[in-house]
Every structure is written in C-alpha cells, then in structure tokens.
C-alpha cells in the first residue's frame, strides 16, 4: 500500500508556463483534496472532489483547475503559473462515511517554485 | 469566523523533557479535532482524533486533551525524543459548511540532544 502518491516532488516553472500535478491513492477512498501550504499559514483548500465525477472549489481556487480522472487519480493544473503560486502542494484523500471519524491521508507534497 | 489558532509558533526543548502545545478554535458546528504531525518535507500524519464527548486521548507518548466548553485543546509530549522534531498541526472539522477542515498554522518543535 503506497497510500497517497504525488508527482513530481519538485518543480521550477517560469511565469506563464503551465503544468499538471498528479496525485493517486490506492486506499479506495471516495474523497480527494488539493491543498497548498505557505510559510506562516495553515493548509488552504484549493479544490476537492467528494466522489468520482464531482469537483468543487475550495478556499483558494483562482488560477487552478482540477480533474478527477477516476476514483484513484486527482490532478491539479496550473494554466499560467504566477510567482504567487510558489508553494508546497499536498494531495489528500479520505473515506466517505461517519463524518466524525474521517481521517485525511496526505501525500508527500510537491514543492513548486515559480520564477 | 472559523479559525484555529496554535501556540507557541515554535518551541525548542532538550531531549527527555516534556512539552505542551496549545490549540484554540472558534469553529462551528464542531465535529472533531485532530492533531497531525508533519515531519520536514513530508505530508501531515494523524496522531489523535477527539470528538465532542472525549476529554483525553493518548497515542504512546502523545496525549491530547479537549475542553469543548472553552474550545481549547492541548497536545502533551512526554519524554521527548529527537524524532519528535516536527510541526504539529491542529485541525478542527465541522459537521456542515463549505470548508469542513479548518487548519491551524502549526507549532514547530525542535528537540535538541
């Protein structure tokens, strides 16, 4: 069981370039999330997918798009990268069920720098 | 406004010493509170979860407490080890609302030999 995997681990982009961050989970979870983590701030939700075939905006969705490719995979796309998108990006997944006990499992993160 | 505040921002202790991290929240409607440990360069990993009716929960040398009346939680680490050096994040979940997971900014703990 690999849990939640993310690729790439590191990426440097120039302003205006595009890229896709990949995320996959092998725990058969229904819900998946994309967060960004910036110094001095808590993790902020970019987009989430409550179940296969659905996606919803989170707290900071501007400049990003997502695709829930199937139950396992949830990708995050930056169409035109900006320096403000320099951050560490985490993908997470959780099961749908008794809400009180849902635990989010996080991937190792992608460290993105936009020059 | 739904917020989770943690203190201190950072903490340095000697190996073998105890420490307590604080989490205050103004999140409603409250569902549960989790403490996560985040090692440098890694994603957060859950340590404990506490629901409204639980006051104390332990996971090895980690003991979390919750006072739902004052909306405060603490994470006590006993006999610290070098491997405890990490960021500890308090996350409060809501039963409803758009953003169900509210994250604190974390406490960065460094344990020195």
């Amino acid at each position: 069981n690999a849990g939640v995997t993310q690729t790439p681990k590191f990426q440097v982009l120039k302003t205006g370039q595009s890229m896709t961050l990949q995320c996959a989970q092998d725990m058969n979870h229904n819900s998946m999330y994309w967060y960004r983590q910036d110094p001095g701030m808590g993790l902020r939700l970019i987009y989430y997918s409550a179940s296969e075939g659905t996606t919803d905006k989170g707290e900071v969705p501007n400049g990003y798009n997502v695709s829930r490719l199937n139950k396992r995979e949830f990708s995050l796309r930056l169409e035109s990268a900006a320096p403000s998108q320099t951050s560490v990006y985490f993908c997470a997944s959780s099961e749908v069920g008794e809400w009180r006990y849902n635990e989010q499992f996080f991937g190792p993160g992608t460290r993105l720098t936009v020059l | 406004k739904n917020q989770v505040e943690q203190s201190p921002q950072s903490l340095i202790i000697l190996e073998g010493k105890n420490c307590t991290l604080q989490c205050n929240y103004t999140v409603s409607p409250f569902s549960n509170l989790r403490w996560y440990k985040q090692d440098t360069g890694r994603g957060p990993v859950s340590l404990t979860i506490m629901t409204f009716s639980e006051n104390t929960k332990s996971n090895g040398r980690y003991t979390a407490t919750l006072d739902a009346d004052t909306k405060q939680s603490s994470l006590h680490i006993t006999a610290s080890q070098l491997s405890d050096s990490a960021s500890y994040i308090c996350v409060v979940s809501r039963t409803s609302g758009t953003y169900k997971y509210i994250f604190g900014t974390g406490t960065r703990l460094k344990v020195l030999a």
Side-chain angles (χ1 to χ4, degrees), chain A residues 15-48:
Chain A
T15 297
Q17 288 185 317
S18 62
M19 78 161 296
T20 300
L21 281 64
Q22 306 286 353
C23 173
Q25 53 91 10
D26 62 1
M27 296 172 283
N28 203 36
H29 286 167
N30 284 292
S31 299
M32 297 186 73
Y33 313 80
W34 276 106
Y35 292 91
R36 59 178 289 173
Q37 186 176 41
D38 301 297
M41 304 185 75
L43 276 82
R44 292 183 292 170
L45 183 65
I46 304 172
Y47 270 92
Y48 67 100

mmCIF file of all heavy atoms in Angstrom, chain A residues 15-48:
data_model
loop_
_atom_site.group_PDB
_atom_site.id
_atom_site.type_symbol
_atom_site.label_atom_id
_atom_site.label_comp_id
_atom_site.label_asym_id
_atom_site.label_seq_id
_atom_site.Cartn_x
_atom_site.Cartn_y
_atom_site.Cartn_z
ATOM 1 N N THR A 15 7.195 32.135 -15.025
ATOM 2 C CA THR A 15 5.888 32.778 -15.069
ATOM 3 C C THR A 15 5.241 32.553 -16.433
ATOM 4 O O THR A 15 5.871 32.760 -17.476
ATOM 5 C CB THR A 15 6.026 34.285 -14.797
ATOM 6 O OG1 THR A 15 6.531 34.462 -13.469
ATOM 7 C CG2 THR A 15 4.691 34.994 -14.910
ATOM 8 N N GLY A 16 3.981 32.120 -16.401
ATOM 9 C CA GLY A 16 3.240 31.904 -17.634
ATOM 10 C C GLY A 16 3.243 30.461 -18.119
ATOM 11 O O GLY A 16 2.403 30.081 -18.942
ATOM 12 N N GLN A 17 4.169 29.647 -17.610
ATOM 13 C CA GLN A 17 4.189 28.240 -18.001
ATOM 14 C C GLN A 17 3.048 27.486 -17.340
ATOM 15 O O GLN A 17 2.489 27.932 -16.330
ATOM 16 C CB GLN A 17 5.530 27.599 -17.635
ATOM 17 C CG GLN A 17 6.689 28.052 -18.498
ATOM 18 C CD GLN A 17 7.969 27.301 -18.179
ATOM 19 O OE1 GLN A 17 8.308 27.071 -17.018
ATOM 20 N NE2 GLN A 17 8.698 26.925 -19.223
ATOM 21 N N SER A 18 2.721 26.345 -17.915
ATOM 22 C CA SER A 18 1.662 25.523 -17.352
ATOM 23 C C SER A 18 2.241 24.185 -16.909
ATOM 24 O O SER A 18 3.303 23.761 -17.393
ATOM 25 C CB SER A 18 0.550 25.301 -18.376
ATOM 26 O OG SER A 18 1.056 24.604 -19.500
ATOM 27 N N MET A 19 1.542 23.562 -15.980
ATOM 28 C CA MET A 19 1.940 22.226 -15.567
ATOM 29 C C MET A 19 0.784 21.550 -14.825
ATOM 30 O O MET A 19 -0.152 22.226 -14.368
ATOM 31 C CB MET A 19 3.169 22.251 -14.667
ATOM 32 C CG MET A 19 2.927 22.643 -13.243
ATOM 33 S SD MET A 19 4.246 22.142 -12.128
ATOM 34 C CE MET A 19 4.161 20.363 -12.236
ATOM 35 N N THR A 20 0.887 20.241 -14.725
ATOM 36 C CA THR A 20 -0.108 19.442 -14.015
ATOM 37 C C THR A 20 0.567 18.658 -12.910
ATOM 38 O O THR A 20 1.566 17.980 -13.144
ATOM 39 C CB THR A 20 -0.825 18.481 -14.974
ATOM 40 O OG1 THR A 20 -1.496 19.231 -15.996
ATOM 41 C CG2 THR A 20 -1.848 17.641 -14.216
ATOM 42 N N LEU A 21 0.010 18.768 -11.704
ATOM 43 C CA LEU A 21 0.465 17.973 -10.576
ATOM 44 C C LEU A 21 -0.425 16.732 -10.497
ATOM 45 O O LEU A 21 -1.654 16.836 -10.538
ATOM 46 C CB LEU A 21 0.362 18.758 -9.273
ATOM 47 C CG LEU A 21 1.455 19.790 -8.964
ATOM 48 C CD1 LEU A 21 1.434 20.924 -9.984
ATOM 49 C CD2 LEU A 21 1.262 20.349 -7.560
ATOM 50 N N GLN A 22 0.236 15.594 -10.363
ATOM 51 C CA GLN A 22 -0.501 14.342 -10.349
ATOM 52 C C GLN A 22 -0.627 13.799 -8.932
ATOM 53 O O GLN A 22 0.278 13.951 -8.110
ATOM 54 C CB GLN A 22 0.206 13.298 -11.225
ATOM 55 C CG GLN A 22 0.477 13.740 -12.644
ATOM 56 C CD GLN A 22 -0.773 13.772 -13.497
ATOM 57 O OE1 GLN A 22 -1.845 13.338 -13.080
ATOM 58 N NE2 GLN A 22 -0.644 14.314 -14.714
ATOM 59 N N CYS A 23 -1.756 13.169 -8.656
ATOM 60 C CA CYS A 23 -1.994 12.554 -7.357
ATOM 61 C C CYS A 23 -2.758 11.255 -7.554
ATOM 62 O O CYS A 23 -3.714 11.204 -8.351
ATOM 63 C CB CYS A 23 -2.786 13.492 -6.459
ATOM 64 S SG CYS A 23 -3.311 12.750 -4.892
ATOM 65 N N ALA A 24 -2.344 10.238 -6.828
ATOM 66 C CA ALA A 24 -3.059 8.963 -6.885
ATOM 67 C C ALA A 24 -3.101 8.345 -5.500
ATOM 68 O O ALA A 24 -2.170 8.504 -4.712
ATOM 69 C CB ALA A 24 -2.377 8.012 -7.866
ATOM 70 N N GLN A 25 -4.204 7.659 -5.208
ATOM 71 C CA GLN A 25 -4.333 6.953 -3.926
ATOM 72 C C GLN A 25 -4.810 5.530 -4.177
ATOM 73 O O GLN A 25 -5.603 5.281 -5.079
ATOM 74 C CB GLN A 25 -5.263 7.713 -2.971
ATOM 75 C CG GLN A 25 -6.638 8.067 -3.521
ATOM 76 C CD GLN A 25 -7.719 7.046 -3.274
ATOM 77 O OE1 GLN A 25 -7.533 6.086 -2.521
ATOM 78 N NE2 GLN A 25 -8.866 7.237 -3.910
ATOM 79 N N ASP A 26 -4.322 4.617 -3.345
ATOM 80 C CA ASP A 26 -4.673 3.215 -3.519
ATOM 81 C C ASP A 26 -5.471 2.681 -2.331
ATOM 82 O O ASP A 26 -5.450 1.483 -2.049
ATOM 83 C CB ASP A 26 -3.408 2.378 -3.738
ATOM 84 C CG ASP A 26 -2.442 2.421 -2.564
ATOM 85 O OD1 ASP A 26 -2.754 3.090 -1.539
ATOM 86 O OD2 ASP A 26 -1.365 1.812 -2.663
ATOM 87 N N MET A 27 -6.173 3.567 -1.624
ATOM 88 C CA MET A 27 -6.948 3.159 -0.450
ATOM 89 C C MET A 27 -8.436 3.077 -0.744
ATOM 90 O O MET A 27 -9.238 2.901 0.176
ATOM 91 C CB MET A 27 -6.681 4.151 0.700
ATOM 92 C CG MET A 27 -5.232 4.122 1.164
ATOM 93 S SD MET A 27 -4.820 5.413 2.349
ATOM 94 C CE MET A 27 -4.683 6.823 1.258
ATOM 95 N N ASN A 28 -8.792 3.220 -2.022
ATOM 96 C CA ASN A 28 -10.196 3.142 -2.440
ATOM 97 C C ASN A 28 -11.063 4.220 -1.778
ATOM 98 O O ASN A 28 -12.255 4.020 -1.535
ATOM 99 C CB ASN A 28 -10.783 1.752 -2.135
ATOM 100 C CG ASN A 28 -11.973 1.447 -3.020
ATOM 101 O OD1 ASN A 28 -12.006 1.835 -4.191
ATOM 102 N ND2 ASN A 28 -12.956 0.760 -2.478
ATOM 103 N N HIS A 29 -10.442 5.374 -1.502
ATOM 104 C CA HIS A 29 -11.190 6.467 -0.894
ATOM 105 C C HIS A 29 -12.043 7.183 -1.929
ATOM 106 O O HIS A 29 -11.662 7.314 -3.096
ATOM 107 C CB HIS A 29 -10.227 7.471 -0.255
ATOM 108 C CG HIS A 29 -9.620 6.969 1.012
ATOM 109 N ND1 HIS A 29 -8.533 7.590 1.612
ATOM 110 C CD2 HIS A 29 -9.944 5.928 1.819
ATOM 111 C CE1 HIS A 29 -8.222 6.944 2.720
ATOM 112 N NE2 HIS A 29 -9.055 5.926 2.865
ATOM 113 N N ASN A 30 -13.161 7.692 -1.469
ATOM 114 C CA ASN A 30 -14.034 8.434 -2.369
ATOM 115 C C ASN A 30 -13.640 9.895 -2.513
ATOM 116 O O ASN A 30 -13.780 10.477 -3.565
ATOM 117 C CB ASN A 30 -15.482 8.357 -1.868
ATOM 118 C CG ASN A 30 -16.118 7.017 -2.167
ATOM 119 O OD1 ASN A 30 -16.356 6.700 -3.330
ATOM 120 N ND2 ASN A 30 -16.385 6.233 -1.158
ATOM 121 N N SER A 31 -13.161 10.506 -1.439
ATOM 122 C CA SER A 31 -12.894 11.943 -1.449
ATOM 123 C C SER A 31 -11.407 12.233 -1.601
ATOM 124 O O SER A 31 -10.567 11.563 -0.999
ATOM 125 C CB SER A 31 -13.399 12.585 -0.151
ATOM 126 O OG SER A 31 -14.789 12.408 -0.018
ATOM 127 N N MET A 32 -11.120 13.254 -2.404
ATOM 128 C CA MET A 32 -9.735 13.680 -2.594
ATOM 129 C C MET A 32 -9.664 15.193 -2.563
ATOM 130 O O MET A 32 -10.649 15.888 -2.865
ATOM 131 C CB MET A 32 -9.177 13.129 -3.918
ATOM 132 C CG MET A 32 -9.137 11.591 -3.945
ATOM 133 S SD MET A 32 -8.344 10.904 -5.401
ATOM 134 C CE MET A 32 -6.612 11.253 -5.069
ATOM 135 N N TYR A 33 -8.485 15.707 -2.180
ATOM 136 C CA TYR A 33 -8.333 17.130 -1.922
ATOM 137 C C TYR A 33 -6.990 17.617 -2.460
ATOM 138 O O TYR A 33 -6.012 16.868 -2.482
ATOM 139 C CB TYR A 33 -8.364 17.403 -0.415
ATOM 140 C CG TYR A 33 -9.477 16.725 0.340
ATOM 141 C CD1 TYR A 33 -9.378 15.376 0.707
ATOM 142 C CD2 TYR A 33 -10.636 17.411 0.699
ATOM 143 C CE1 TYR A 33 -10.382 14.731 1.395
ATOM 144 C CE2 TYR A 33 -11.654 16.780 1.395
ATOM 145 C CZ TYR A 33 -11.516 15.443 1.744
ATOM 146 O OH TYR A 33 -12.521 14.819 2.426
ATOM 147 N N TRP A 34 -6.936 18.889 -2.794
ATOM 148 C CA TRP A 34 -5.679 19.579 -3.072
ATOM 149 C C TRP A 34 -5.566 20.775 -2.138
ATOM 150 O O TRP A 34 -6.483 21.592 -2.042
ATOM 151 C CB TRP A 34 -5.602 20.071 -4.518
ATOM 152 C CG TRP A 34 -5.135 19.027 -5.477
ATOM 153 C CD1 TRP A 34 -5.874 18.351 -6.382
ATOM 154 C CD2 TRP A 34 -3.791 18.552 -5.625
ATOM 155 N NE1 TRP A 34 -5.090 17.470 -7.086
ATOM 156 C CE2 TRP A 34 -3.802 17.583 -6.645
ATOM 157 C CE3 TRP A 34 -2.576 18.858 -5.009
ATOM 158 C CZ2 TRP A 34 -2.653 16.922 -7.053
ATOM 159 C CZ3 TRP A 34 -1.432 18.196 -5.412
ATOM 160 C CH2 TRP A 34 -1.480 17.236 -6.425
ATOM 161 N N TYR A 35 -4.405 20.848 -1.449
ATOM 162 C CA TYR A 35 -4.107 21.952 -0.548
ATOM 163 C C TYR A 35 -2.801 22.618 -0.987
ATOM 164 O O TYR A 35 -1.952 22.002 -1.613
ATOM 165 C CB TYR A 35 -3.891 21.457 0.882
ATOM 166 C CG TYR A 35 -5.106 20.918 1.576
ATOM 167 C CD1 TYR A 35 -5.431 19.565 1.523
ATOM 168 C CD2 TYR A 35 -5.919 21.755 2.325
ATOM 169 C CE1 TYR A 35 -6.536 19.063 2.187
ATOM 170 C CE2 TYR A 35 -7.035 21.260 3.001
ATOM 171 C CZ TYR A 35 -7.331 19.915 2.926
ATOM 172 O OH TYR A 35 -8.424 19.427 3.584
ATOM 173 N N ARG A 36 -2.642 23.861 -0.546
ATOM 174 C CA ARG A 36 -1.341 24.496 -0.637
ATOM 175 C C ARG A 36 -0.930 24.928 0.764
ATOM 176 O O ARG A 36 -1.791 25.278 1.602
ATOM 177 C CB ARG A 36 -1.334 25.680 -1.599
ATOM 178 C CG ARG A 36 -2.289 26.812 -1.288
ATOM 179 C CD ARG A 36 -2.144 27.943 -2.313
ATOM 180 N NE ARG A 36 -0.885 28.668 -2.146
ATOM 181 C CZ ARG A 36 -0.440 29.609 -2.977
ATOM 182 N NH1 ARG A 36 -1.163 29.946 -4.044
ATOM 183 N NH2 ARG A 36 0.712 30.222 -2.760
ATOM 184 N N GLN A 37 0.375 24.864 1.015
ATOM 185 C CA GLN A 37 0.898 25.231 2.324
ATOM 186 C C GLN A 37 1.968 26.290 2.145
ATOM 187 O O GLN A 37 2.974 26.054 1.476
ATOM 188 C CB GLN A 37 1.482 24.010 3.042
ATOM 189 C CG GLN A 37 1.921 24.290 4.472
ATOM 190 C CD GLN A 37 2.397 23.035 5.189
ATOM 191 O OE1 GLN A 37 3.092 22.197 4.615
ATOM 192 N NE2 GLN A 37 2.029 22.897 6.453
ATOM 193 N N ASP A 38 1.734 27.440 2.731
ATOM 194 C CA ASP A 38 2.665 28.553 2.650
ATOM 195 C C ASP A 38 3.203 28.869 4.039
ATOM 196 O O ASP A 38 2.504 28.653 5.043
ATOM 197 C CB ASP A 38 1.966 29.775 2.059
ATOM 198 C CG ASP A 38 1.427 29.494 0.670
ATOM 199 O OD1 ASP A 38 2.257 29.224 -0.218
ATOM 200 O OD2 ASP A 38 0.191 29.516 0.471
ATOM 201 N N PRO A 39 4.410 29.395 4.114
ATOM 202 C CA PRO A 39 5.012 29.707 5.432
ATOM 203 C C PRO A 39 4.096 30.596 6.268
ATOM 204 O O PRO A 39 3.562 31.590 5.780
ATOM 205 C CB PRO A 39 6.305 30.438 5.046
ATOM 206 C CG PRO A 39 6.635 29.941 3.683
ATOM 207 C CD PRO A 39 5.321 29.722 3.007
ATOM 208 N N GLY A 40 3.910 30.232 7.530
ATOM 209 C CA GLY A 40 3.110 31.039 8.437
ATOM 210 C C GLY A 40 1.614 30.920 8.260
ATOM 211 O O GLY A 40 0.851 31.597 8.943
ATOM 212 N N MET A 41 1.189 30.029 7.340
ATOM 213 C CA MET A 41 -0.245 29.849 7.109
ATOM 214 C C MET A 41 -0.597 28.379 7.228
ATOM 215 O O MET A 41 0.228 27.510 6.953
ATOM 216 C CB MET A 41 -0.637 30.372 5.734
ATOM 217 C CG MET A 41 -0.266 31.835 5.510
ATOM 218 S SD MET A 41 -0.866 32.457 3.951
ATOM 219 C CE MET A 41 -2.589 32.635 4.322
ATOM 220 N N GLY A 42 -1.817 28.131 7.612
ATOM 221 C CA GLY A 42 -2.283 26.751 7.631
ATOM 222 C C GLY A 42 -2.523 26.244 6.225
ATOM 223 O O GLY A 42 -2.540 27.013 5.265
ATOM 224 N N LEU A 43 -2.709 24.952 6.094
ATOM 225 C CA LEU A 43 -3.052 24.400 4.785
ATOM 226 C C LEU A 43 -4.358 25.007 4.304
ATOM 227 O O LEU A 43 -5.325 25.099 5.064
ATOM 228 C CB LEU A 43 -3.184 22.879 4.850
ATOM 229 C CG LEU A 43 -1.884 22.089 4.736
ATOM 230 C CD1 LEU A 43 -1.169 22.026 6.070
ATOM 231 C CD2 LEU A 43 -2.153 20.700 4.212
ATOM 232 N N ARG A 44 -4.359 25.406 3.062
ATOM 233 C CA ARG A 44 -5.562 26.006 2.484
ATOM 234 C C ARG A 44 -6.074 25.144 1.349
ATOM 235 O O ARG A 44 -5.313 24.728 0.477
ATOM 236 C CB ARG A 44 -5.271 27.427 2.007
ATOM 237 C CG ARG A 44 -4.983 28.414 3.143
ATOM 238 C CD ARG A 44 -4.777 29.820 2.618
ATOM 239 N NE ARG A 44 -3.549 29.924 1.844
ATOM 240 C CZ ARG A 44 -3.217 30.978 1.104
ATOM 241 N NH1 ARG A 44 -4.046 32.006 1.024
ATOM 242 N NH2 ARG A 44 -2.068 31.007 0.452
ATOM 243 N N LEU A 45 -7.375 24.911 1.350
ATOM 244 C CA LEU A 45 -8.001 24.026 0.377
ATOM 245 C C LEU A 45 -8.152 24.726 -0.962
ATOM 246 O O LEU A 45 -8.733 25.808 -1.056
ATOM 247 C CB LEU A 45 -9.359 23.574 0.908
ATOM 248 C CG LEU A 45 -10.140 22.592 0.060
ATOM 249 C CD1 LEU A 45 -9.394 21.260 -0.036
ATOM 250 C CD2 LEU A 45 -11.536 22.372 0.651
ATOM 251 N N ILE A 46 -7.651 24.090 -2.017
ATOM 252 C CA ILE A 46 -7.745 24.657 -3.363
ATOM 253 C C ILE A 46 -8.996 24.118 -4.050
ATOM 254 O O ILE A 46 -9.860 24.878 -4.490
ATOM 255 C CB ILE A 46 -6.495 24.313 -4.197
ATOM 256 C CG1 ILE A 46 -5.224 24.778 -3.484
ATOM 257 C CG2 ILE A 46 -6.581 24.948 -5.585
ATOM 258 C CD1 ILE A 46 -3.945 24.297 -4.159
ATOM 259 N N TYR A 47 -9.072 22.819 -4.177
ATOM 260 C CA TYR A 47 -10.218 22.131 -4.754
ATOM 261 C C TYR A 47 -10.380 20.804 -4.023
ATOM 262 O O TYR A 47 -9.435 20.274 -3.453
ATOM 263 C CB TYR A 47 -9.984 21.826 -6.241
ATOM 264 C CG TYR A 47 -10.431 22.885 -7.210
ATOM 265 C CD1 TYR A 47 -9.557 23.869 -7.635
ATOM 266 C CD2 TYR A 47 -11.730 22.880 -7.722
ATOM 267 C CE1 TYR A 47 -9.956 24.844 -8.547
ATOM 268 C CE2 TYR A 47 -12.137 23.845 -8.637
ATOM 269 C CZ TYR A 47 -11.238 24.830 -9.046
ATOM 270 O OH TYR A 47 -11.648 25.782 -9.945
ATOM 271 N N TYR A 48 -11.572 20.269 -4.103
ATOM 272 C CA TYR A 48 -11.784 18.930 -3.583
ATOM 273 C C TYR A 48 -12.776 18.193 -4.466
ATOM 274 O O TYR A 48 -13.515 18.801 -5.240
ATOM 275 C CB TYR A 48 -12.240 18.947 -2.120
ATOM 276 C CG TYR A 48 -13.611 19.532 -1.873
ATOM 277 C CD1 TYR A 48 -14.720 18.716 -1.681
ATOM 278 C CD2 TYR A 48 -13.784 20.911 -1.803
ATOM 279 C CE1 TYR A 48 -15.965 19.261 -1.446
ATOM 280 C CE2 TYR A 48 -15.025 21.456 -1.568
ATOM 281 C CZ TYR A 48 -16.108 20.625 -1.370
ATOM 282 O OH TYR A 48 -17.344 21.166 -1.142
#
